[in-house]
Amino acid sequence: MTAEKITMQDHQLNTPKEPIIPFIAGDGIGPEIWEAAQSVFDEAVKKACKGKRKVSWQPLLAGETAFKQTGEWLPQETLDTLKANLVAIKGPLTTPIGKGHRSINVTLRQKLDLYACFRPVKYYEGSPSPVKEPQNVDIDVFRENTEDIYAGIDVESGTAEANKLQQLLKDNGQLEKVRFPETTNYAIKPISEEGSKRIVHAAIDYAFKHNLGHVTLVHKGNIMKKTEGSFKKWGYEEAEKYGDRVFTMKTYDEIKDKKGQEVADDALTAAEYAGRLVINDVITDNFFQQSLLHPENFDVVVTMNLNGDYISDALAAQVGGIGISPGGNINYESGRAIFEATHGTAPQFAGQNKLNPTSLILSGAMMFDYIGWHEVAQLIQDAIGVAIRGKHVTLDFAKQLPGSELLSTSEYGNFIVKTIDFS
């Protein structure tokens, strides 16, 4: 076999028998969880493909590790390599809070236009949970990844930028809405029609592909009418392009206005049974409540950047936490994708071989599914299920599961490898 790049043609990924996949091990606990994860990936590929396929892993530097070695947080060589290869995977990277360099994760998403943060949230039997019925949580979150306040348009009070912005607000009769203008910092929240429609399009396509029944637009449009309110409006406009394949709440409201509530309810039920995709929307704070009370009512959730950040972590807490929560940043048009551990670097635990590598391992499973190696992904997911059900777990779960076998990071990786090997 010869190592080759993954390519995109006619909106389809072409994955060679030995794809080159760049990886960034990451900072803090990153190298430890990557070592455990890579052993799982290689064993799953070997088992599923019977030696006819393998991955050519290409190491890259980013984050604090890169800065210590090169003086750059995101070396140009790393960025160039990621641009040259469609699919990559990474561990957690250091981002200072309140000062210093901008988030490398955000930079990568914007530089590569990875507009969809895809976070599937599902329960693995045996995972510790603070809710009574975590098995009802099976929600795929699509978070817009390049806009909102993550655009990084921040200004500090007293600066020339803040003064100019305040003058602009004053000229437009808006400054009186600022309670303490002399000490106020500002952040600007860009939400575009193009950005909104393409993330909604990705969510709807995913729902159709996986035979799911509902796509829910989550927004705070009752307060932020011109930004999040427009996200809702543009989302429904995108949904309407699918014609009779979808049933929107606009359709529901039109039926209700003409024929009444009961008929509208009957039409909604009929649409669900007929296999039509139901598109609805919910205010963000109500979503948090409903996702606790009735998570079974949600299949696919699509929202903006900040909401999505909150929502994906909150849902993850219901099924075991972000330590086992996978994620991918994807551009469904170009095919580019970076899959990643969704948790932080946990520097206080670095080098101790203690923490859970499941988030990165399951993100790898997502990656293999994305490139078309579905059997590899299934082997990994099944093995994780065996480990958690059998209480063969790392420190985070062992503290919550009486009678569990406490494993180190590397021991956990080895257990998953053996489970795959004997499957």
Side-chain angles (χ1 to χ4, degrees):
M1 287 183 285
T2 302
E4 301 177 67
K5 295 177 182 178
I6 298 172
T7 58
M8 183 83 158
Q9 186 175 7
D10 298 327
H11 304 290
Q12 294 290 328
L13 284 180
N14 295 319
T15 305
K17 292 183 178 180
E18 186 179 346
I20 300 168
I21 299 182
F23 73 91
I24 300 169
D27 299 323
I29 63 170
E32 300 159 53
I33 64 172
W34 170 255
E35 184 176 355
Q38 185 182 345
S39 66
V40 171
F41 301 156
D42 289 340
E43 187 63 26
V45 171
K46 178 182 175 183
K47 178 77 172 182
C49 303
K50 299 177 171 56
K52 295 180 180 179
R53 294 178 181 270
K54 68 176 184 177
V55 174
S56 179
W57 300 106
Q58 183 174 1
L60 298 176
L61 290 174
E64 187 175 20
T65 303
F67 183 76
K68 289 178 178 178
Q69 294 187 33
T70 69
E72 297 180 278
W73 291 94
L74 181 59
Q76 189 61 44
E77 180 182 357
T78 294
L79 193 56
D80 290 344
T81 302
L82 291 172
K83 288 180 178 178
N85 293 270
L86 289 183
V87 178
I89 188 167
K90 58 177 282 297
L93 297 173
T94 300
T95 298
I97 298 175
K99 61 180 180 179
H101 71 274
R102 191 177 178 200
S103 166
I104 295 169
N105 295 326
V106 172
T107 300
L108 288 172
R109 293 165 190 168
Q110 295 189 344
K111 291 281 187 182
L112 301 174
D113 197 24
L114 305 175
Y115 64 84
C117 179
F118 173 40
R119 294 275 294 271
V121 184
K122 62 175 288 187
Y123 178 69
Y124 281 85
E125 183 183 350
S127 297
S129 170
V131 299
K132 292 181 179 179
E133 297 179 318
Q135 69 275 9
N136 290 340
V137 181
D138 189 357
I139 302 174
D140 296 309
V141 179
F142 279 79
R143 164 190 173 191
E144 202 291 319
N145 226 0
T146 63
E147 297 190 317
D148 210 339
I149 63 169
Y150 291 77
I153 308 172
D154 283 337
V155 296
E156 190 173 2
S157 63
T159 62
E161 292 85 356
N163 292 337
K164 289 179 182 178
L165 182 55
Q166 286 188 172
Q167 186 61 49
L168 178 64
L169 293 173
K170 184 176 181 181
D171 292 344
N172 287 275
Q174 300 290 316
L175 188 59
E176 62 187 29
K177 296 180 180 179
V178 180
R179 185 66 183 88
F180 301 105
E182 296 308 314
T183 59
T184 295
N185 298 347
Y186 298 90
I188 294 178
K189 178 186 181 75
I191 302 292
S192 72
E193 180 177 355
E194 293 88 345
S196 299
K197 286 186 173 180
R198 67 177 180 174
I199 190 66
V200 172
H201 184 88
I204 292 174
D205 279 356
Y206 177 88
F208 276 124
K209 184 177 180 180
H210 293 84
N211 297 312
L212 299 172
H214 297 82
V215 171
T216 303
L217 311 173
V218 180
H219 62 91
K220 192 65 176 171
N222 57 330
I223 302 300
M224 292 173 276
K225 301 180 187 299
K226 301 301 183 183
T227 51
E228 303 215 3
S230 293
F231 174 85
K232 170 191 171 182
K233 178 175 75 76
W234 291 326
Y236 277 122
E237 288 176 358
E238 186 64 24
E240 288 166 5
K241 294 178 183 178
Y242 290 81
D244 290 341
R245 299 173 69 196
V246 303
F247 184 96
T248 70
M249 290 301 101
K250 178 181 177 182
T251 307
Y252 176 89
D253 289 339
E254 289 173 348
I255 295 172
K256 185 175 69 173
D257 289 344
K258 291 180 181 178
K259 299 183 179 180
Q261 180 85 46
E262 185 175 341
V263 175
D265 289 342
D266 289 343
L268 176 56
T269 302
E272 292 174 320
Y273 278 105
R276 293 172 72 183
L277 182 63
V278 174
I279 314 292
N280 66 343
D281 72 277
V282 63
I283 300 297
T284 306
D285 42 329
N286 188 28
F287 172 79
F288 278 105
Q289 176 178 237
Q290 294 304 318
S291 65
L292 284 168
L293 297 173
H294 300 291
E296 67 277 5
N297 290 340
F298 301 99
D299 294 322
V300 179
V301 164
V302 57
T303 188
M304 290 146 289
N305 213 335
L306 184 61
N307 290 339
D309 199 356
Y310 299 149
I311 286 168
S312 54
D313 281 10
L315 290 176
Q318 296 186 49
V319 298
I322 59 174
I324 65 166
S325 177
N329 304 288
I330 304 169
N331 184 317
Y332 289 95
E333 297 162 5
S334 70
R336 294 191 186 282
I338 297 179
F339 297 86
E340 64 183 355
T342 60
H343 53 74
T345 59
Q348 68 273 29
F349 291 99
Q352 297 181 30
N353 194 28
K354 285 184 177 180
L355 296 194
N356 195 342
T358 302
S359 174
L360 187 59
I361 293 172
L362 288 177
S363 295
M366 286 178 63
M367 179 189 71
F368 285 117
D369 196 53
Y370 180 71
I371 68 173
W373 292 10
H374 308 298
E375 298 87 351
V376 177
Q378 195 62 56
L379 277 176
I380 294 171
Q381 292 166 348
D382 290 347
I384 293 291
V386 168
I388 296 175
R389 282 196 305 274
K391 299 185 179 182
H392 306 281
V393 292
T394 50
L395 180 66
D396 54 335
F397 277 19
K399 291 189 295 184
Q400 304 177 70
L401 298 174
S404 59
E405 179 188 11
L406 173 60
L407 301 176
S408 67
T409 305
S410 56
E411 288 171 341
Y412 180 83
N414 290 336
F415 183 88
I416 302 299
V417 167
K418 291 177 181 177
T419 302
I420 290 171
D421 192 41
F422 289 106
S423 62

